[in-house]
Amino acid sequence: MPAANAPRKFRIRAPCSSANIGPGFDVLGMSLSLYLTLDVSVYQEDATQAFEMTYSGEGATEVPLLPEQNLITKIALYVLSANGISQLPQPLKIHVHNPIPLGRGLGSSGAAVVAGVLLGDALGNLKNSYDRLLDYCLMIERHPDNVAATLLGGFVASYLRELDPEATKGVPESETFLDDVVSKTYPQPPVGIGHYLRLNWSKEIKAVAIVPNFEVATAKARAVLPTTYSRQDVIYNFQRLAVLTTALGKSPPDADLIYNAVQDRIHQPYRKTLIPGLPEILSSITPAKFDGLLGIFLSGAGPTILALATGNFDAIAGAAQKVFKEHGIESWYKVLEVTDGGSTVEEL
Ligand SMILES: Nc1ncnc2c1ncn2[C@@H]1O[C@H](COP(=O)(O)OP(=O)(O)OP(=O)(O)O)[C@@H](O)[C@H]1O
Ligand SMILES: N[C@@H](CCO)C(=O)O
């Protein structure tokens, strides 16, 4: 039995994610085995400081640690405010450990959003369902692919419900949503914004993430995309997307089917201007040259490259790293698993 004055301690874990998976722009996402972790202690009485946040890992030198500035605590404040609670409980200590590189296409912001929503829910003892938590996430990151995969886990297809203009009256755009969070009162998000389906994933398929050492902000990578597309290009992506959703759950995986199904004409061709070496990497690393390779594409908004493969991971990653190097870019890689589960809150 914990002592009467013992702090309440809990741990939040949120996996990183890769979105799009080739043709599924803003539709497909998968959670990967690299976890943002929050260790939270809520004290009953006296502590030296009312609020203390410490941080280790990726972003340690740049992420602000004040509650009204840090993305995770701002989101927790939003969730609490929407439920009639105006501040974080105090004294409160949070240690963040983040192995997810920022701005690289591995859903660092999606993991921070989900962790923040779970933090607000846990601190307010709100006990929202995961479906309802997704509504909160989608008020902040308004494309569902990363947050749905991170929250729910696995290989996930999702779409957003068209929002009733009445229900969103006075709700700011996502960029300004969290501005001045401490002094605002937020409405509850509309119910059932996000719809999703967890798709089968064949366990023998691993994800090799090749991460170059420069950032591409998602907002910038979205700004280079056209506002309209030709019928030909839309059909090209629809055809591949429909096949891909099932092909990645089949065992043994069919390399020829998957490699062709991850081709895309909606986002990658436009993002090559932001990612030196992208066209060479995508065209030169093929199943014909690398046994075990199933498909290769930009992870989320980039610049990380994701290769799906059943083996030969070092050779595949090495080939992509070589192209980056020819463009003067250093990189690292990691072989990741698609996780079964999503984000969790564990009372300690
Ligand atoms: N752990 C974190 N704590 C606080 N802020 C974070 C954290 N992780 C990400 N962020 C914020 O999110 C920004 C990165 O988000 P962005 O959407 O540009 O890239 P990404 O999520 O890593 O990539 P993608 O959306 O393509 O998968 C960071 O610059 C930072 O402002
Ligand atoms: N679908 C999003 C994922 C990145 O957050 C994009 O490609 O812009």
Side-chain angles (χ1 to χ4, degrees), residues 129-194:
S129 68
Y130 271 53
D131 284 6
R132 189 67 182 131
L133 293 169
L134 183 60
D135 291 333
Y136 283 92
C137 295
L138 290 171
M139 295 307 289
I140 303 151
E141 186 149 301
R142 292 195 190 171
H143 51 88
D145 41 1
N146 290 107
V147 288
T150 284
L151 180 65
L152 306 156
F155 179 35
V156 181
S158 56
Y159 64 83
L160 283 182
R161 180 159 65 81
E162 292 277 305
L163 291 180
D164 172 3
E166 271 306 303
T168 50
K169 226 182 206 168
V171 175
E173 289 303 310
S174 57
E175 291 73 33
T176 55
F177 190 73
L178 295 169
D179 287 359
D180 255 343
V181 69
V182 276
S183 53
K184 273 194 205 151
T185 307
Y186 288 85
Q188 292 254 333
V191 175
I193 312 173

Side-chain angles (χ1 to χ4, degrees), residues 17-21 24-28 105-110 141 143-147 217-219 221-223 225 267 271 298-302:
S17 61
S18 180
N20 304 330
I21 328 296
F25 178 72
D26 279 3
V27 177
L28 293 180
L106 286 170
S108 71
S109 59
E141 186 149 301
H143 51 88
D145 41 1
N146 290 107
V147 288
T218 301
R222 292 178 84 80
L225 304 180
H267 72 108
R271 289 174 163 171
L298 201 56
S299 181

Side-chain angles (χ1 to χ4, degrees), residues 114-125:
V114 170
V117 167
L118 289 173
L119 178 65
D121 187 75
L123 290 176
N125 288 311

Side-chain angles (χ1 to χ4, degrees), residues 198-219:
R198 293 187 73 217
L199 303 167
N200 289 332
W201 183 266
S202 168
K203 270 289 164 205
E204 58 260 61
I205 308 178
K206 312 292 175 208
V208 187
I210 303 109
V211 186
N213 67 357
F214 66 97
E215 294 185 26
V216 172
T218 301

Side-chain angles (χ1 to χ4, degrees), residues 8 10 12 40 42 51 67 71-90 92 94 113 115-128 133 136 140 177-178 181-182 184-189:
R8 174 187 172 206
F10 57 91
I12 295 174
V40 184
V42 188
F51 177 84
L71 179 62
I72 297 170
T73 41
K74 274 164 64 174
I75 293 167
L77 281 161
Y78 152 58
V79 173
L80 290 168
S81 161
N83 290 278
I85 303 168
S86 61
Q87 57 184 27
L88 298 170
Q90 291 182 344
L92 175 66
I94 303 173
V113 167
V117 167
L118 289 173
L119 178 65
D121 187 75
L123 290 176
N125 288 311
L126 304 174
K127 299 190 175 16
N128 281 295
L133 293 169
Y136 283 92
I140 303 151
F177 190 73
L178 295 169
V181 69
V182 276
K184 273 194 205 151
T185 307
Y186 288 85
Q188 292 254 333

